[in-house]
Amino acid sequence: MVAAQTQMECEEDKAATLSPDTPIQTSEPLPDTNLVNGERQETATDPASPTTNDCDENASDSSCRTLHVGPVLPLEEGRADTEAKVQEREDGESPLELEQLDQHHEIKETNEQKLHKIANELLLTERAYVSRLDLLDQVFYCKLLEEANRGSFPAEMVNKIFSNISSINAFHSKFLLPELEKRMQEWETTPRIGDILQKLAPFLKMYGEYVKGFDNAMELVKNMTERIPQFKSIIEEIQKQKICGSLTLQHHMLEPVQRIPRYEMLLKDYLRKLPPGSPDWNDAKKSLEIISTAASHSNSAIRKMENLKKLLEIYEMLGEEEDIVNPSNELIKEGQILKLAARNTSAQERYLFLFNNMLLYCVPRFSLVGSKFTVRTRVGIDGMKIVETHNEEYPHTFQVSGKERTLELQASSEQDKEEWIKALQETIDAFHQRHETFRNAIAKDNDIHSEVSTAELGKRAPRWIRDNEVTMCMKCKESFNALTRRRHHCRACGHVVCWKCSDYKAQLEYDGGKLSKVCKDCYQIISGFTDSEEKKRKGILEIESAEVSGNSVVCSFLQYMEKSKPWQKAWCVIPKQDPLVLYMYGAPQDVRAQATIPLLGYIVDDMLRSADLPHSFKLTQSKSVHSFAADSEELKQKWLKIILLAVTGETPDGPGKHPATLDDDPEPKRKSEC
């Protein structure tokens, strides 16, 4: 029996001995080299691994192996161990102990192979990742920057979209990838990767800047694609290329955010297979600690990206009519509900979208493709109350009471009702907690820094709240973003507010009586306007042009041109009630202004150039250039007299006396004049 068992084991050893043309069979599947996210497929030969051509023709040479298989114990050594164990059995060793030794040998061999596979997977994915970074940096970024330098759109916006992608690309292509390539070529003598990652992992902190600006970058891409044809054209042209793999710019921009968690996952797997006593253990452990910190930020950005995708889906379901695509909006819950009519208590099918700051109450509408809804009411979370109601005819009912509307709703079951009540109440509590923290922070700041009192508003310069101290408007509480809701400072109280809440001007004593931008609260205190008076003042755009012109500082037809657009005729008015703003109408009888130009801070240029129309002048501020041309030199000078005062914040002297109004013209008015 002993001889028979010995013969069987010898046959197994022979089967394990490979010829140069036979790949080693392992218990673990080879890593899938067909990479996801549109990455190229890696086939053929791994340059980091020896091929059969490098092997000795001797079939028993254990260094001969095929692609992706890690170094195994030399088979001659394994055979010697087996023969020694057989001899021990013949000397009285128990069969059970010998079997345990065989299993231990197999596990050790398999772990070494697994470590090589993990390292090889890291190399393969790193190659594909570098090609994607090159696509973002050298193709998308460079092409868009070229077009921006031609003046099609601001280069600053392109830089904000791609952040520090060039630095990230340089790090991976010039440092990390070459190090991994070299190590995999030396794997047989140096089977470790922890030392490389431990040395280079601190540089992954540069991802913090990219991840931090990722939300704004996504929003900028969306807005610029919608509003700037040249930007959209370049993006679509690049996306058609084979290198893009039929994926969008946004998809490729997400890859740097996803890469750090990928490192974390591979390194955790590597550590699980690595014996604690391995020389690579400490380096790999330190690397994981550094990478895990960076990965937490990336995971947060990924969650935000998924939330943004969901918001886009809902935006389309609502007919692209509701402005909900904002990184500050978070979907909490959605689902069907029944609404009880107030008159006949009949139940009507409705659909709810609950966000962290509002509840959208929607009506289903017919659609051949997908679910579509029309928003009936938007109920704000601020001031919302939830009341559980009891109706014998209609069970599972509850009431949502908000400032905008009160709804009596019926859930499909008691469990569904409890889930809705819980979600709504938790959202209300979280909303109040956020704003309570916000108010406390402001109060604390006011305690530390003396705030201008109500009596001193406009008389003493305030301390400006720093931009980075707030994330939302200190008046309406709407979150700031880089494009549509930027930060502005009230010159009276120093608070950071959005453009809607700072669309007011008041004379400030501490600034020599100049008209300055202030928030609504300060405007009402300084000017003494009530809410009703303010509504009348703000409604000037809705008043007919003729009515505004009859109460203006100056008004007439002017030729107008913006940037490279063609000249067009416009009815221009500077009202007495708003003497620092130029209103432009299409015609004298229009009921609404087409555009306005706040004149404060503009530079007036009346130097004629060969390409200019006669009697023309320009208003410039930063990159904004507005060109005007009058019918006569006299009319031009009258406009310049008023505008030169307005750009410095001054108004015509004396109530009702406006030296530059066209009424002062003793000559009969031409048709082109007021």
Side-chain angles (χ1 to χ4, degrees):
M1 289 177 64
V2 170
Q5 290 174 350
T6 304
Q7 183 178 357
M8 290 174 64
E9 292 184 4
C10 288
E11 289 174 356
E12 291 174 357
D13 289 340
K14 289 177 182 179
T17 306
L18 302 177
S19 67
D21 300 325
T22 307
I24 292 177
Q25 301 296 323
T26 66
S27 59
E28 289 294 318
L30 294 179
D32 184 7
T33 57
N34 294 322
L35 303 179
V36 297
N37 294 341
E39 296 176 347
R40 65 176 182 272
Q41 295 183 339
E42 297 286 349
T43 54
T45 304
D46 179 4
S49 303
T51 63
T52 56
N53 295 330
D54 301 324
C55 301
D56 194 271
E57 291 181 0
N58 188 348
S60 64
D61 187 353
S62 65
S63 66
C64 187
R65 57 185 179 273
T66 56
L67 179 62
H68 306 317
V69 180
V72 298
L73 289 177
L75 294 179
E76 293 294 342
E77 181 183 338
R79 180 181 298 170
D81 290 345
T82 304
E83 290 174 355
K85 286 180 272 181
V86 172
Q87 184 62 40
E88 287 175 2
R89 185 190 300 176
E90 291 176 346
D91 294 339
E93 190 79 42
S94 70
L96 180 60
E97 292 176 356
L98 181 57
E99 184 179 350
Q100 289 173 343
L101 286 171
D102 288 339
Q103 290 176 352
H104 175 74
H105 174 75
E106 291 173 3
I107 291 171
K108 183 178 179 182
E109 185 178 54
T110 303
N111 276 345
E112 287 188 2
Q113 289 178 348
K114 287 181 178 179
L115 289 171
H116 180 271
K117 288 176 186 176
I118 294 168
N120 198 50
E121 183 180 355
L122 177 61
L123 173 63
L124 292 175
T125 56
E126 187 69 14
R127 284 179 189 157
Y129 177 54
V130 167
S131 74
R132 291 291 166 254
L133 288 177
D134 200 62
L135 172 65
L136 284 171
D137 181 24
Q138 298 299 316
V139 182
F140 278 109
Y141 182 35
C142 289
K143 294 279 187 186
L144 289 171
L145 207 55
E146 276 180 30
E147 186 64 30
N149 290 333
R150 295 190 188 104
S152 301
F153 41 82
E156 179 189 0
M157 294 299 183
V158 180
N159 291 328
K160 284 184 178 179
I161 289 173
F162 292 96
S163 186
N164 60 338
I165 195 68
S166 297
S167 300
I168 293 173
N169 186 23
F171 166 71
H172 285 272
S173 60
K174 296 179 181 178
F175 295 95
L176 184 54
L177 180 59
E179 289 272 5
L180 292 175
E181 297 271 14
K182 182 181 177 183
R183 179 53 52 84
M184 292 309 295
Q185 292 170 6
E186 302 169 347
W187 186 263
E188 193 168 339
T189 57
T190 316
R192 58 189 299 184
I193 57 172
D195 57 332
I196 293 175
L197 296 177
Q198 196 269 338
K199 179 176 69 174
L200 296 178
F203 291 96
L204 296 177
K205 292 178 181 178
M206 70 173 68
Y207 276 80
E209 182 180 341
Y210 185 90
V211 172
K212 185 178 178 182
F214 183 72
D215 288 343
N216 284 338
M218 289 291 104
E219 189 175 356
L220 277 174
V221 171
K222 174 181 174 291
N223 283 306
M224 292 182 73
T225 303
E226 291 174 351
R227 299 178 183 182
I228 304 175
Q230 297 95 325
F231 184 92
K232 181 180 180 181
S233 175
I234 292 173
I235 297 298
E236 290 180 345
E237 181 183 342
I238 297 174
Q239 287 174 170
K240 291 176 184 176
Q241 297 178 16
K242 187 177 180 181
I243 192 174
C244 270
S246 302
L247 298 173
T248 64
L249 168 61
Q250 290 94 325
H251 182 99
H252 293 303
M253 288 176 64
L254 183 60
E255 290 195 34
V257 178
Q258 294 174 323
R259 186 58 183 166
I260 303 297
R262 178 71 169 167
Y263 289 137
E264 182 185 33
M265 182 186 72
L266 287 171
L267 200 49
K268 282 181 178 178
D269 198 20
Y270 182 79
L271 271 169
R272 279 195 292 267
K273 306 296 187 299
L274 196 66
S278 168
D280 204 23
W281 175 266
N282 288 334
D283 286 338
K285 194 83 169 62
K286 290 177 183 176
S287 304
L288 180 60
E289 291 172 0
I290 298 171
I291 290 173
S292 294
T293 302
S296 63
H297 299 297
S298 292
N299 287 329
S300 174
I302 291 171
R303 285 192 295 271
K304 289 181 179 179
M305 182 61 184
E306 290 171 350
N307 178 62
L308 203 59
K309 287 181 179 177
K310 184 62 180 175
L311 292 177
L312 284 168
E313 290 175 10
I314 298 173
Y315 177 69
E316 292 175 359
M317 292 165 67
L318 300 178
E320 302 182 357
E321 296 176 355
E322 292 294 319
D323 184 18
I324 62 168
V325 183
N326 189 309
S328 63
N329 291 342
E330 180 185 353
L331 180 68
I332 307 297
K333 183 177 172 62
E334 64 173 294
Q336 290 183 341
I337 203 86
L338 294 176
K339 187 257 180 184
L340 299 184
R343 291 185 179 137
N344 51 20
T345 66
S346 62
Q348 302 163 336
E349 185 180 343
R350 296 290 184 263
Y351 202 91
L352 300 180
F353 291 99
L354 175 61
F355 296 90
N356 57 328
N357 56 359
M358 62 182 164
L359 175 69
L360 296 184
Y361 169 72
C362 306
V363 178
R365 56 189 175 92
F366 176 75
S367 173
L368 294 174
V369 183
S371 301
K372 300 290 183 181
F373 304 95
T374 299
V375 177
R376 184 64 61 84
T377 305
R378 181 190 289 227
V379 184
I381 297 298
D382 188 16
M384 180 183 289
K385 294 180 181 179
I386 308 301
V387 180
E388 186 174 358
T389 56
H390 300 280
N391 190 318
E392 294 181 0
E393 292 186 38
Y394 298 93
H396 324 310
T397 58
F398 62 98
Q399 182 177 285
V400 177
S401 178
K403 294 179 179 178
E404 296 82 0
R405 187 171 176 181
T406 296
L407 305 167
E408 189 171 1
L409 305 172
Q410 181 184 16
S412 59
S413 65
E414 191 64 24
Q415 180 183 353
D416 188 31
K417 167 188 170 181
E418 291 174 358
E419 289 175 357
W420 270 112
I421 292 177
K422 181 182 178 183
L424 285 160
Q425 194 58 56
E426 287 179 352
T427 303
I428 293 169
D429 294 342
F431 180 87
H432 289 310
Q433 185 177 359
R434 283 197 308 272
H435 286 75
E436 185 64 31
T437 304
F438 181 74
R439 283 191 290 268
N440 290 342
I442 294 176
K444 183 179 179 182
D445 187 74
N446 291 342
D447 291 340
I448 298 172
H449 309 282
S450 59
E451 185 175 301
V452 178
S453 65
T454 303
E456 294 178 309
L457 279 177
K459 299 177 181 178
R460 183 164 68 89
R463 172 203 173 261
W464 281 22
I465 306 296
R466 294 185 181 88
D467 284 355
N468 61 5
E469 292 178 343
V470 295
T471 60
M472 61 180 75
C473 173
M474 298 175 72
K475 298 300 177 182
C476 68
K477 309 298 188 295
E478 288 291 332
S479 297
F480 292 120
N481 58 58
L483 196 64
T484 59
R485 195 175 292 275
R486 302 177 67 181
R487 292 169 169 82
H488 300 270
H489 279 90
C490 171
R491 268 59 172 179
C493 65
H495 284 187
V496 185
V497 291
C498 66
W499 67 271
K500 286 186 178 179
C501 295
S502 63
D503 193 22
Y504 301 86
K505 289 183 174 65
Q507 290 183 330
L508 303 179
E509 288 186 27
Y510 78 83
D511 199 21
K514 290 183 180 179
L515 281 172
S516 301
K517 186 186 292 287
V518 296
C519 66
K520 180 179 179 180
D521 293 344
C522 292
Y523 173 79
Q524 291 181 351
I525 293 171
I526 295 171
S527 66
F529 275 106
T530 61
D531 283 342
S532 58
E533 290 172 329
E534 175 60 16
K535 286 178 183 176
K536 292 177 183 177
R537 189 191 76 86
K538 294 294 288 180
I540 189 169
L541 288 179
E542 304 297 334
I543 303 173
E544 292 185 7
S545 173
E547 185 176 340
V548 178
S549 303
N551 190 29
S552 64
V553 178
V554 61
C555 60
S556 74
F557 274 116
L558 294 175
Q559 295 291 332
Y560 170 70
M561 180 182 71
E562 183 180 9
K563 293 184 179 178
S564 58
K565 296 179 181 178
W567 287 90
Q568 58 182 2
K569 198 173 185 180
W571 179 255
C572 301
V573 183
I574 296 182
K576 290 180 181 178
Q577 290 184 332
D578 212 352
L580 301 185
V581 180
L582 172 61
Y583 289 72
M584 289 188 290
Y585 294 85
Q589 299 301 321
D590 281 356
V591 296
R592 183 179 179 86
Q594 293 180 346
T596 60
I597 302 176
L599 298 171
L600 187 64
Y602 270 86
I603 298 173
V604 181
D605 179 7
D606 62 344
M607 293 290 293
L608 284 178
R609 294 168 182 81
S610 58
D612 292 340
L613 292 179
H615 321 303
S616 63
F617 59 93
K618 293 181 181 179
L619 300 177
T620 61
Q621 187 180 71
S622 185
K623 295 182 180 180
S624 298
V625 180
H626 303 279
S627 300
F628 296 89
D631 288 347
S632 66
E633 184 64 23
E634 183 182 6
L635 181 60
K636 168 187 169 181
Q637 293 303 324
K638 289 179 179 179
W639 272 100
L640 287 178
K641 193 170 184 179
I642 294 296
I643 291 174
L644 286 170
L645 290 173
V647 295
T648 60
E650 298 179 18
T651 58
D653 296 329
K657 182 180 179 182
H658 308 288
T661 57
L662 301 185
D663 292 334
D664 295 340
D665 188 356
E667 298 179 6
K669 301 173 189 173
R670 294 192 297 273
K671 279 189 177 180
S672 63
E673 300 179 14
C674 226

